[in-house]
């Protein structure tokens, strides 16, 4: 279908005047003039014509589309903010009855439906116009490219405009939260009901994709090598590692049909995407293992990937449906049995892929060749990093029957594989190859304690050395570059190819600081209105929502709001695990380190709270790491082997501490002995306190000796443990303080008792009055 017809069919009637005027651009280009001579030739195309076309395309039309996109998106955010203002707060929760809140929820659902519809149309508007600009520039360069080229300038302009920046997920998250509140008010959701499922969650990874400029390639490699080793691929499974072995060359052949339906589904994202490819490592003449893969991405974040090895001679019969892998199935049955689960799974996978190829009428269309360097700790898959260089895309199709790139009766190009061509594939015709100028860095991270507290990974992902491209796909990029005449939709990252991806380190740091500050602000704003609905029991901040609080958040919002007061929280959001070749769509989330202090150590400064002490009390990240297969705990570190060589001042410092403890023990013993001798036989308080001080003296002596021996052992072992041990001084200090207070209290009570007894004795009469006497006016006389 011609793009003009595609654009006309995609127009949203209320915005029909805001789309790219594609027909006007064709008229300005004089597309109907095809004769190279006379009026229709190059001689009739003047500088004025070129100026008019370029100004109309890169200024008038681009500003019209960009302005409409910006105004519409701002209006949608205003409408979303207005809906957020209707949400209840602790002050307004009791101001309306339940029926009034239900009426608000019903009105909000209608408005949210309208907002969602407009947001979806805006996404389609941005993508179809983006494709239209590239199509118009391509027509110009094809017709007037001998003297003028407009596409490089257009791509620079496109990279500077916001309408082609596809990031609507933060706003979608806000809409989802409001949808949830409205459904709960209407009784469609039960917030207290926990999801019940017997299915255990599978391990998922988050994929982060970046472009690396060739000037920064070595620095990125060395930064990674300081923490992760290179994962060596040995196709011969040799026992002796060859240090001169080069990084392997990987080849993938992607399938699609003449309508490029698989490409369309991956770019548009409106329908579940599927992809099929053949993949191998090294040269095909070396008979490597070839794997046939199919990846299915559902409506959510989960994906499903099936694969099985296939021999080269069976590929073409398999694609035609003439061979169903009977030999492989029979071998597996002989080894495991007919009823084995692996046999049933293999049969199911073979049938699924073969039927999918037959239904979609798929055939090989694109080859991607690249050199891969993998970084990973053997047996530890928490962090997996791959760096792909020398990336080239080659047409592998037979769409043009008169000049096919591949033999119609074969599944691959024999000119490449038989001649063992390597990058840069100089023998391939210009229109059949596209070389990617950057390296592709992909970081796959499993959500664990180790990865959430990984500073070096966070620094790399936010450095000036790399440029993030979240949704980059080799298959999508190769088709967009080599089959642009066959497709009517392009990925947004194409406009970044004409710009310099290198950044100034200071600028990159400032952008990261602004991003984290904006993240904290957004989390507080979003959490403020969510805290009064489904998460009302949490201690989130309350208040009016921010005008543009946009940020994708994971986990409990209330926890994010509380944590954002102190630091920037950006937890990893689990998504579908990417395929082995790393050609899926990742979602990048930064990693931040987290350290906190609590309890008695944060309250008492006497307790060591240094970074060194906290790290060794908490344990390093490797303490909890499982050992790789075949690796045993040596028990003793290499650094601890051999004769210890310790400076004399270390031993003397330990001895001085021991002597100080003995000094304290002697002083306490002397004090207790003097107190006991000075106390009389009847002074039980002094005698008891003397015994208490004697106990503290004994404890100080024993403690000093024990700590001296313990620290001597740590010095001998060259241990990295913390030498601080505050229990002894703390116990002696508190004990002496209590003893002194008790001594003061007992002495005070003794003095008080003495004074009370003296007063009673002074007031006692000297003569005992007989019962028949009485006192008159202070005197007493015998009664007559």
């Amino acid at each position: 279908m011609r793009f003009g017809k595609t654009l006309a069919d995609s127009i949203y009637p209320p915005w029909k005047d805001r789309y790219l005027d594609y027909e006007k651009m064709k008229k300005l280009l004089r597309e109907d003039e095809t004769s190279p001579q006379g009026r229709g030739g190059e001689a009739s195309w003047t500088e004025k014509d070129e100026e008019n076309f370029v100004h109309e395309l890169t200024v008038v039309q681009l500003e019209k589309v960009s302005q409409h996109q910006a105004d519409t998106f701002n209006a949608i955010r205003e409408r979303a903010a207005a809906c957020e203002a209707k949400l209840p707060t602790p002050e307004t929760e009791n101001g309306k009855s339940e029926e009034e809140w239900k009426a608000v929820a019903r009105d909000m659902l209608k408005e949210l439906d309208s907002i969602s519809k407009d947001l979806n149309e805006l996404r389609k508007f941005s993508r179809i116009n983006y494709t239209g600009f590239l199509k118009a520039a391509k027509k110009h360069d094809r017709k007037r490219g001998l003297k003028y080229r407009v596409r490089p300038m257009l791509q620079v302009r496109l990279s500077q405009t916001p309408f082609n920046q596809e990031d609507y997920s933060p706003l979608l998250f806000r809409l989802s939260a409001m949808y949830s509140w409205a459904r709960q008010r209407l009784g469609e959701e039960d917030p207290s009901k926990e999801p019940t499922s017997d299915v255990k969650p599978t391990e998922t990874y988050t994929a982060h994709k970046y472009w690396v400029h060739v000037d920064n390639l070595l620095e990125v490699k060395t930064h990674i090598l300081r923490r992760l080793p290179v994962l060596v691929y040995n196709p011969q499974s040799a026992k002796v590692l060859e240090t001169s072995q080069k990084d392997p060359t990987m080849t993938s052949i992607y399938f699609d049909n003449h309508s490029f339906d698989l490409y369309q589904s991956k770019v548009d994202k409106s329908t579940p995407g599927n992809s099929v490819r053949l993949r191998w490592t090294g040269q095909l003449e070396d008979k490597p293992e070839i794997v046939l893969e199919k990846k299915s991405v559902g409506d959510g974040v989960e994906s499903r990937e099936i694969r099985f090895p296939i021999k080269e001679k069976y590929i073409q019969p398999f694609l035609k449906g003439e061979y169903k892998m009977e030999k492989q199935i029979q071998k597996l049955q002989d080894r495991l049995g007919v009823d084995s689960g692996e046999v049933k799974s293999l049969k199911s996978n073979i049938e699924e892929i073969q039927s999918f190829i037959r239904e979609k009428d798929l055939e090989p269309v694109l080859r991607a060749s690249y050199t891969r360097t993998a970084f990973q700790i053997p047996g530890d898959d928490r962090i997996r990093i791959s760096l792909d260089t020398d990336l080239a895309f080659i047409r592998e199709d037979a769409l043009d029957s008169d000049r096919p790139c591949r033999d119609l009766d074969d599944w691959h190009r024999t000119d490449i594989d038989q001649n063992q061509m390597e990058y840069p594939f100089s023998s391939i015709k210009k229109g059949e190859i596209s070389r990617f100028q950057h390296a592709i860095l992909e970081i796959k991270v499993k959500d664990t304690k180790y990865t959430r507290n990984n500073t070096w990974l966070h620094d790399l992902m936010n450095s000036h050395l790399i440029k993030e491209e979240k949704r980059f796909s080799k298959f999508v990029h190769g088709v967009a570059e080599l089959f642009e005449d066959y497709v009517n939709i392009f990925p947004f990252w194409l406009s970044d190819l004409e710009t310099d991806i290198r950044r100034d380190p200071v600028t990159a740091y400032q952008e990261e600081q602004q991003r984290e500050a904006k993240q904290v602000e957004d989390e507080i704003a979003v959490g403020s209105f969510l805290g009064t609905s489904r998460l009302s029991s949490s201690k989130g901040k309350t208040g009016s929502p921010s005008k543009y609080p946009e940020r994708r958040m994971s986990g409990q919002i209330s926890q994010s709001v509380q944590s954002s007061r102190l630091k920037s929280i950006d937890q990893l959001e689990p998504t579908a695990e990417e395929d082995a070749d790393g050609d899926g769509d990742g979602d990048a989330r930064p990693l931040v380190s987290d350290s906190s202090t609590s309890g008695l150590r944060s309250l008492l400064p006497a307790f060591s709270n240094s970074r060194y002490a906290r790290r060794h009390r908490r344990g390093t990240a490797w303490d909890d790491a499982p050992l790789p297969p075949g690796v045993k705990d040596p028990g003793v570190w290499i650094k601890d082997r051999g004769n210890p060589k310790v400076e004399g001042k270390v031993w003397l410092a330990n001895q001085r501490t021991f002597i100080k403890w003995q000094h304290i023990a002697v002083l306490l013993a002397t004090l207790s002995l003097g107190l006991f001798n000075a106390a009389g036989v009847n002074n039980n308080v002094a005698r008891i306190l003397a015994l208490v001080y004697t106990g503290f003296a004994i404890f100080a002596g024993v403690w000093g000796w024990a700590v001296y021996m313990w620290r001597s052992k740590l010095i001998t072992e060259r241990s990295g443990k913390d030498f601080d041990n505050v229990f002894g001084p703390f116990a002696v200090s508190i004990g002496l303080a209590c003893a002194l207070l008790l001594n003061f209290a007992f002495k005070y009570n003794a003095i008080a008792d003495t004074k009370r007894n003296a007063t009673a004795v002074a007031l006692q009469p000297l003569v005992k009055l007989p019962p028949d006497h009485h006192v008159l006016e202070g005197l007493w006389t015998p009664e007559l």
Side-chain angles (χ1 to χ4, degrees):
M1 182 184 295
R2 297 177 62 86
F3 179 74
K5 183 68 167 62
T6 303
L7 178 60
D9 295 341
S10 303
I11 288 179
Y12 184 47
W15 303 340
K16 62 180 179 179
D17 296 332
R18 311 309 301 173
Y19 284 79
L20 168 68
D21 195 341
Y22 194 69
E23 294 299 325
K24 181 178 182 180
M25 300 311 303
K26 290 168 63 176
K27 291 178 180 179
L28 289 176
L29 187 58
R30 304 177 193 172
E31 188 182 19
D32 296 335
E33 299 178 2
T34 57
S35 175
Q37 284 87 19
R39 184 179 177 184
E42 289 293 336
S44 64
W45 187 260
T46 63
E47 292 286 349
K48 184 65 175 177
D49 296 330
E50 178 70 14
E51 181 181 350
N52 291 338
F53 180 86
V54 173
H55 181 268
E56 181 70 23
L57 180 65
T58 63
V59 179
V60 178
Q61 296 293 328
L62 185 57
E63 289 184 357
K64 177 182 70 173
V65 173
S66 178
Q67 189 63 41
H68 174 73
Q69 194 275 342
D71 294 343
T72 306
F73 191 51
N74 289 337
I76 291 176
R77 293 193 297 185
E78 291 283 357
R79 293 166 61 188
C83 289
E84 292 167 1
K86 298 178 182 179
L87 293 171
T89 63
E91 293 78 12
T92 62
E93 177 72 31
N94 299 324
K96 296 181 181 180
S97 64
E98 186 63 26
E99 290 299 325
E100 290 175 331
W101 282 121
K102 288 185 177 180
V104 171
R106 283 189 289 268
D107 294 339
M108 182 178 292
L109 282 179
K110 296 179 181 179
E111 179 64 14
L112 292 177
D113 290 339
S114 177
I115 292 175
S116 301
K117 180 178 180 297
D118 290 345
L119 189 62
N120 186 50
E121 293 294 340
L122 183 61
R123 184 189 62 82
K124 296 179 180 179
F125 172 87
S126 301
R127 187 167 292 281
I128 195 66
N129 281 281
Y130 177 80
T131 304
F133 282 109
L134 295 182
K135 288 282 188 180
K138 179 190 173 184
K139 284 183 177 291
H140 171 276
D141 293 351
R142 179 180 296 173
K143 189 172 182 62
R144 312 296 180 185
L146 296 178
K147 294 180 61 176
Y148 310 99
R149 287 185 60 83
V150 71
R151 182 162 179 170
M153 180 174 61
L154 174 66
Q155 288 188 333
V156 173
R157 289 277 291 133
L158 286 173
S159 65
Q160 298 171 351
T161 54
F163 90 90
N164 62 325
Q165 302 299 324
E166 188 183 52
D167 189 13
Y168 298 131
S169 13
L171 184 57
L172 290 176
F173 176 77
R174 297 169 60 193
L175 297 179
S176 175
M178 289 185 284
Y179 267 119
S180 179
W181 176 86
R183 288 193 294 265
Q184 290 174 19
R185 279 292 182 179
L186 296 176
E188 299 177 9
E189 285 186 9
D190 186 3
S192 62
K193 184 177 181 181
E194 296 292 338
T196 57
S197 176
D198 296 333
V199 180
K200 296 182 179 180
T202 57
E203 293 183 343
T204 57
Y205 290 83
T206 299
H208 311 261
K209 295 189 177 182
Y210 305 89
W211 291 355
V212 183
H213 194 277
V214 63
D215 293 348
N216 299 328
L217 195 56
L218 182 60
E219 189 171 355
V220 170
K221 283 186 177 181
T222 54
H223 183 88
I224 301 173
L225 281 173
R226 294 189 187 102
R227 286 88 183 178
L228 296 179
V230 174
L231 191 63
V232 179
Y233 171 78
N234 191 348
Q236 305 300 331
S237 301
K239 296 182 179 180
V240 180
L241 177 63
E242 297 181 3
T243 58
S244 61
Q245 179 180 339
K246 299 189 301 181
D247 291 329
T249 299
M250 306 190 71
T251 303
S252 296
I253 293 183
Y254 296 94
F255 289 69
D256 213 330
N257 51 32
H258 289 205
S259 300
F260 288 93
D261 292 336
L262 301 188
Y263 167 85
Q264 181 82 15
S265 65
K266 288 184 72 70
V267 178
D268 192 25
K269 297 292 184 182
S270 59
T271 58
N274 299 280
S275 60
V276 178
R277 67 176 175 180
L278 288 163
R279 181 171 57 88
W280 68 89
T281 303
Q283 293 292 341
L284 195 61
E285 292 296 316
D286 298 333
K287 305 299 180 181
E289 182 183 59
I290 302 176
V291 179
L292 180 59
E293 302 175 345
K294 175 180 179 289
K295 181 178 180 181
S296 304
V297 181
D299 296 331
V301 298
E302 294 184 356
S303 68
R304 177 172 171 267
E305 184 176 302
I306 58 177
R307 65 181 71 181
F308 57 83
I310 183 172
K311 293 184 178 181
E312 179 183 353
K313 60 182 179 180
Y314 296 136
I315 294 178
Q316 189 64 19
F318 180 87
L319 298 179
K320 291 182 178 181
E322 301 170 355
Y323 178 66
K324 298 183 179 297
M325 308 287 290
E326 292 88 352
K327 292 185 177 180
Q328 284 79 351
I329 295 176
Q330 185 61 42
K331 289 181 180 179
L332 196 61
Q333 288 179 349
D334 296 341
R335 185 161 53 91
L336 301 177
V338 180
D339 299 329
S340 173
E342 294 186 18
V343 175
K344 295 179 180 179
S345 177
L346 179 60
K347 289 182 179 180
S348 175
N349 294 343
I350 292 173
E351 178 61 28
E352 180 178 344
I353 294 180
Q354 198 165 42
S355 61
F356 183 75
I357 293 175
R358 182 174 57 253
E359 292 171 3
K360 294 292 186 179
D361 194 19
L362 302 180
E363 62 182 45
V365 295
L366 177 70
R367 175 188 295 237
S369 176
Y370 48 92
T371 300
R372 165 158 294 185
T373 305
F375 303 89
Q376 179 184 336
I377 299 175
D380 185 355
D381 60 350
R382 292 173 297 179
I383 298 179
R384 298 156 51 192
I385 299 179
S386 63
L387 186 62
D388 298 338
T389 56
D390 297 340
L391 176 58
F393 302 99
I394 304 173
R395 290 184 61 163
E396 198 85 16
D397 65 287
L399 300 178
D400 188 352
S401 58
D402 296 332
R403 294 181 298 176
C405 300
R406 166 182 52 84
D407 188 355
L408 294 174
D409 297 328
D410 207 343
W411 61 274
H412 67 109
R413 293 183 58 153
T414 56
D415 59 336
I416 297 178
D417 297 318
Q418 289 181 359
N419 298 325
Q420 298 189 10
M421 293 185 186
E422 295 182 350
Y423 188 86
F425 302 97
S426 54
S427 301
I428 304 298
K429 297 177 183 178
K430 183 178 180 181
E432 298 177 1
I433 186 171
S434 174
R435 301 174 182 87
F436 194 71
Q437 61 264 45
H438 305 306
I440 307 298
L441 177 68
E442 183 170 8
I443 303 174
K444 295 179 181 178
V445 184
K446 186 185 295 184
D447 188 11
T448 62
K449 175 183 177 182
Y450 170 67
T451 55
R452 284 193 298 266
N453 298 274
N454 214 305
T455 305
W456 74 266
L457 194 59
H458 173 260
D459 293 340
L460 174 63
M461 296 166 65
N462 295 278
S463 69
H464 66 286
L465 302 174
I466 56 181
K467 182 183 186 302
E468 183 178 18
E469 288 293 344
K470 296 181 181 179
R471 302 182 181 275
F472 181 80
S473 167
K474 296 184 180 72
F475 169 57
V476 172
H477 184 83
V479 172
E481 286 285 318
L482 297 175
F483 298 91
E484 54 184 355
D485 292 336
Y486 295 86
V487 296
N488 288 328
I489 188 171
F490 292 134
F492 282 150
W493 65 73
L494 290 181
S495 58
D496 294 335
L497 292 176
E498 300 297 331
T499 60
D500 190 354
I501 65 173
R502 291 171 294 184
R503 295 186 297 166
D504 178 68
V506 177
T507 304
Y509 174 77
Q510 293 174 350
E511 291 176 355
E512 172 63 12
Q513 295 299 311
Q514 294 174 0
R515 186 198 63 79
E516 292 186 354
K518 181 65 165 56
Q519 173 192 339
V520 174
E521 177 185 353
D522 291 345
E523 288 176 351
I524 293 176
V526 176
S528 63
F529 69 80
L530 287 181
T532 59
S533 57
R534 179 165 54 91
L535 302 175
S536 58
S537 61
S538 63
K539 299 179 181 180
K541 292 185 178 181
T542 58
S544 60
S546 177
K547 186 176 182 180
Y548 302 130
E550 297 177 4
R551 178 72 184 175
R552 180 187 301 176
M553 300 160 57
S554 60
Q556 294 293 334
I557 305 301
S558 59
Q559 296 176 0
S560 299
V561 173
Q562 296 175 30
S563 303
S564 62
R565 302 176 185 176
L566 303 177
K567 64 181 184 303
S568 173
I569 292 294
D570 206 353
Q571 297 288 354
L572 288 174
E573 181 179 11
T575 59
E577 180 179 358
E578 297 299 317
D579 47 355
D581 193 15
D583 191 30
D585 294 331
D587 188 11
R589 303 298 306 279
L591 301 175
V592 294
S593 60
D594 179 21
S595 61
S596 60
T597 57
S598 59
L600 187 60
R601 296 186 185 274
S602 62
L603 299 176
L604 298 177
F607 285 79
S608 177
N609 204 27
S610 64
R611 184 182 303 174
Y612 174 85
R614 292 200 310 267
R615 182 172 68 249
H616 287 282
R617 280 194 298 267
R618 185 171 59 245
T620 61
W622 302 103
D623 292 342
D624 301 330
L627 293 175
V631 178
K632 297 181 179 179
D633 187 356
V636 180
W637 293 91
I638 296 178
K639 67 180 182 64
D640 297 334
R641 298 180 183 274
N643 296 326
K645 295 181 180 179
V646 184
E647 295 185 8
K649 60 181 181 181
V650 178
W651 296 105
L652 295 177
N654 191 29
Q655 292 175 2
R656 283 196 300 271
T657 306
F658 169 68
I659 292 173
K660 288 292 185 181
W661 275 107
Q662 301 310 308
H663 186 198
I664 293 174
V666 171
L667 289 177
L668 289 175
T670 303
L671 174 63
S672 61
L673 181 62
L675 184 62
F676 186 85
N677 292 334
V681 178
N682 299 325
N683 194 348
N684 295 327
V685 173
R687 297 166 68 89
I688 293 174
L689 289 177
L691 295 177
V692 171
Y693 289 139
T694 302
F696 281 117
I698 297 173
F699 173 80
V702 174
W703 175 263
W705 172 255
V707 171
Y708 170 74
M709 298 303 297
W710 172 68
R711 287 175 178 163
S712 299
K713 180 175 180 293
L714 294 182
I715 295 173
T716 304
E717 295 177 351
R718 289 171 290 192
S719 174
K721 295 182 180 180
D722 193 355
F723 276 54
D724 289 355
N725 200 323
V726 297
F727 176 76
F730 183 78
V732 171
S733 301
I734 295 298
L736 288 178
C738 293
L740 291 175
L741 290 176
L742 291 175
N743 190 5
F744 175 80
F746 292 152
K747 188 63 177 178
Y748 179 83
N749 289 334
I751 295 176
D753 291 342
T754 303
K755 289 184 177 181
R756 284 194 297 269
N757 294 334
T759 303
V761 171
L763 295 177
Q764 185 176 5
L766 297 178
V767 179
K768 186 176 181 180
L769 298 177
D772 55 349
H773 288 70
H774 65 275
V775 178
L776 180 60
E777 295 182 355
L779 300 175
W780 62 273
T781 56
E783 188 176 61
L784 298 177

